[in-house]
Amino acid sequence: MRCLVLAGALWSLHVAADDSLVTFTTATSQGPLPYVEYLPPGYSNGTARERIVFSFHGIGDSGPGTDATSVYDAMTSMGPLRLIRDASSGPHRFQSSHRAIVLGPRNPQGLWDRITAAAFVSWALTHYRVDPDAVYLTGLSAGGGPTWTIPIERPGTVAAILPVCPVRQLWSPLDASEYRGVAVWAFHGFADPIVPLAESRHWMNQIGQALARDAGFPDVMSNYPFANGTQSAGQHQTASWTPVGYVWSAGVGAPPTATYRLTALDANYHNIWTDVYSNHDVWDWLFSRRRSTHVAPGDAGVVVDAGVVVDAGVVVDAGVVVDAGVVVDAGVVVDAGVVVDAGVVVDAGVAVDAGVVVDAGVASDGGLESGDAGPGAPPVTTRPASGDNVVQGGCSTSSGPALAAMALAVLAARRRAQRRH
């Protein structure tokens, strides 16, 4: 494999390999796993950054990476690489309208190791000319494991995922907070006899709680349209997240713009992936998602502390409130912009930022999603760097003694909290 150093990143230069499937064995792969690669037409001679799709196979396609034929056959047996293989030549179904690099790594055996899978993604993002805002993951069955966990292992890297009848694998409830910036469309057969719907249900419930910042957020199946989720509705149904609960609609993908969704297919079999990947609407949805423009509920100023998701710089965690970097100890109540702590009231519309009290009408963005592409991603990005709080509008201290008193009260609370921590 020939390589080109450009703009500080190492990108693979594949001569005459565009619009074809290329196999890399353990001996020829520069990455941590053998894999099959697809590059869109004109990639090798171009300069534009491309979308990239990582496809993770099921347990039945696991095996050694020493033989090129074996790797090729396994990686193209199903999933997006199967679509490309079956097209023989020219653009396949989703490439006809959505250009993308597609990589299918092969797992040596059994369930995926989430660390190795994440390392492969990081490696690929430095070796291919990738649009950092258009990184997508999909996986079927056991391949659903890394599809779910890589956004947690590499936070801020992935724009969207398509887990198909996924195996959940181990994870922590704290991890769901990472999904506030990752679009999700999960698919599962309602009566899947191999991997039960409960696997996808578990993830969607945790994500729903993280998005709503509410541990009591309703179970995704609680308002399923037939027998309270215990029996199939007799047709495909799609649940879409709303701040008050998931809402089910008949069909696949309704409503079409929803960012967080679960489609329960009216199927009593496991291999639903052919139905999913052959649906052009699925690819349209996936490639419409971009990391820099997708803003989940509460993304602005997000702070995550012990698994609790913060909205606009406010976190409530075991009685602790974090507001734009100021920590106030237990007993704090935040309600409609009023903070009450040990009898001290800070009036609505007054924001506290690093100990400075700013009068109503002054806003701080709290730090939007960083422009970094994540570990291992190419350094060039079109997204503005961020992370520092930017105060917008005029700041006035003309409120006089009352405002100063409030500032002192909040700072006193902050010092008490810092002494305890």
Side-chain angles (χ1 to χ4, degrees), residues 48-66:
R49 292 178 178 271
E50 304 280 359
R51 302 179 180 95
I52 189 167
V53 176
F54 293 90
S55 177
F56 298 97
H57 62 75
I59 197 169
D61 286 320
S62 299
T66 54

Side-chain angles (χ1 to χ4, degrees), residues 44-416:
S44 296
N45 295 324
T47 59
R49 292 178 178 271
E50 304 280 359
R51 302 179 180 95
I52 189 167
V53 176
F54 293 90
S55 177
F56 298 97
H57 62 75
I59 197 169
D61 286 320
S62 299
T66 54
D67 177 68
T69 300
S70 174
V71 173
Y72 175 86
D73 289 346
M75 296 303 92
T76 61
S77 67
M78 55 192 73
L81 290 173
R82 171 67 179 268
L83 295 179
I84 298 172
R85 188 196 75 179
D86 288 352
S88 297
S89 63
H92 63 84
R93 190 163 187 176
F94 71 79
Q95 289 284 356
S96 64
S97 54
H98 303 291
R99 290 171 56 91
I101 301 165
V102 183
L103 302 182
R106 191 179 199 188
N107 189 37
Q109 60 182 4
L111 293 176
W112 283 84
D113 175 75
R114 61 187 179 87
I115 303 301
T116 303
F120 180 85
V121 169
S122 293
W123 167 80
L125 295 182
T126 66
H127 283 69
Y128 291 86
R129 198 173 61 246
V130 173
D131 179 347
D133 287 331
V135 177
Y136 308 108
L137 310 177
T138 188
L140 56 92
S141 194
T147 302
W148 280 122
T149 58
I150 287 172
I152 297 164
E153 299 293 335
R154 299 294 186 271
T157 299
V158 178
I161 67 170
L162 286 174
V164 181
C165 53
V167 172
R168 186 175 72 210
Q169 291 193 324
L170 298 176
W171 75 305
S172 164
L174 308 185
D175 297 336
S177 57
E178 299 296 349
Y179 276 89
R180 300 183 74 229
V182 180
V184 178
W185 191 357
F187 290 84
H188 223 112
F190 187 91
D192 188 329
I194 307 299
V195 179
L197 176 61
E199 295 288 284
S200 292
R201 178 181 184 176
H202 176 88
W203 275 98
M204 298 309 293
N205 284 340
Q206 297 295 331
I207 291 170
Q209 292 172 17
L211 294 174
R213 300 164 299 282
D214 180 6
F217 190 77
D219 186 302
V220 64
M221 301 303 294
S222 63
N223 62 343
Y224 184 77
F226 188 75
N228 198 31
T230 60
Q231 298 180 41
S232 174
Q235 61 181 159
H236 303 331
Q237 295 279 334
T238 297
S240 301
W241 184 89
T242 75
V244 296
Y246 284 100
V247 175
W248 288 89
S249 303
V252 176
T257 59
T259 300
Y260 301 94
R261 53 172 67 177
L262 166 66
T263 294
L265 299 179
D266 182 34
N268 60 357
Y269 50 87
H270 183 52
N271 59 333
I272 62 171
W273 42 83
T274 299
D275 298 330
V276 173
Y277 292 130
S278 63
N279 186 337
H280 202 285
D281 292 341
V282 171
W283 298 107
D284 287 346
W285 176 90
L286 182 71
F287 292 127
S288 71
R289 304 294 151 175
R290 291 186 60 79
R291 188 187 55 158
S292 59
T293 56
H294 164 56
V295 179
D299 268 358
V302 164
V303 177
V304 178
D305 185 13
V308 179
V309 183
V310 187
D311 188 8
V314 178
V315 177
V316 179
D317 180 20
V320 177
V321 174
V322 179
D323 186 3
V326 178
V327 180
V328 184
D329 206 1
V332 171
V333 178
V334 178
D335 184 18
V338 179
V339 181
V340 181
D341 181 22
V344 177
V345 178
V346 179
D347 202 4
V350 177
V352 181
D353 185 7
V356 178
V357 177
V358 184
D359 204 0
V362 178
S364 171
D365 72 356
L368 297 178
E369 289 285 340
S370 170
D372 295 337
V380 179
T381 177
T382 58
R383 301 180 60 210
S386 62
D388 296 327
N389 290 336
V390 179
V391 177
Q392 302 169 334
C395 177
S396 171
T397 57
S398 61
S399 301
L403 187 58
M406 285 187 282
L408 292 174
V410 174
L411 289 173
R414 180 186 181 191
R415 286 194 291 269
R416 291 198 303 273

